[in-house]
């Protein structure tokens, strides 16, 4: 076992093992970063869906004449004593 070829083979084996461990660690880091990115994107999706729901509620409310009248009065386009007619 003291022949020089065995030393070279042990060195190659050790280098291969170190390389395999490095690649395994690199994949672990990549998986962790992808999980964080997925969580961030899912949160952004939830926020976007909530915003869409709010906007759909606004659109639905905008179709209500009573809501529109209250809105234009609140914005000051129509005074309290004025009568608002829809065209």
């Amino acid at each position: 076992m003291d022949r020089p070829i065995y030393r070279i083979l042990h060195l190659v084996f050790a280098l291969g093992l170190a390389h395999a461990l490095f690649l395994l660690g690199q994949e672990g880091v990549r998986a962790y970063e992808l999980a964080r990115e997925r969580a961030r994107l899912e949160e952004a999706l939830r926020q976007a869906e909530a915003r869409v729901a709010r906007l759909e509620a606004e659109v639905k409310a905008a179709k209500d004449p009573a809501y529109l009248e209250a809105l234009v009065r609140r914005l000051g386009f129509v005074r309290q004593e004025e009568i608002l007619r829809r065209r």
Side-chain angles (χ1 to χ4, degrees):
M1 292 285 277
D2 291 336
R3 292 172 50 191
I5 191 71
Y6 290 122
R7 289 185 195 157
I8 294 172
L9 288 177
H10 286 129
L11 179 63
V12 169
F13 176 75
L15 289 175
L17 186 60
H19 186 252
L21 290 174
F22 171 75
L23 291 177
L24 186 63
Q26 196 174 24
E27 286 300 314
V29 169
R30 192 174 109 185
Y32 172 73
E33 289 174 354
L34 286 174
R36 282 189 14 205
E37 180 72 10
R38 180 179 178 185
R40 186 187 66 79
L41 290 173
E42 286 176 349
E43 178 61 30
L45 178 63
R46 278 193 293 277
Q47 290 175 357
E49 287 172 344
R51 179 159 184 204
V52 166
R54 283 194 308 272
L55 290 174
E56 286 174 347
E58 277 187 43
V59 168
K60 184 178 177 184
K63 293 178 182 176
D64 182 21
Y67 173 80
L68 291 176
E69 182 178 349
L71 180 63
V72 295
R73 289 188 188 279
R74 188 172 61 235
L75 292 175
F77 294 120
V78 178
R79 293 186 184 144
Q80 288 292 5
E81 65 275 358
E82 292 179 320
I83 298 174
L84 182 66
R85 284 190 263 162
R86 284 189 80 180
R87 293 183 189 186

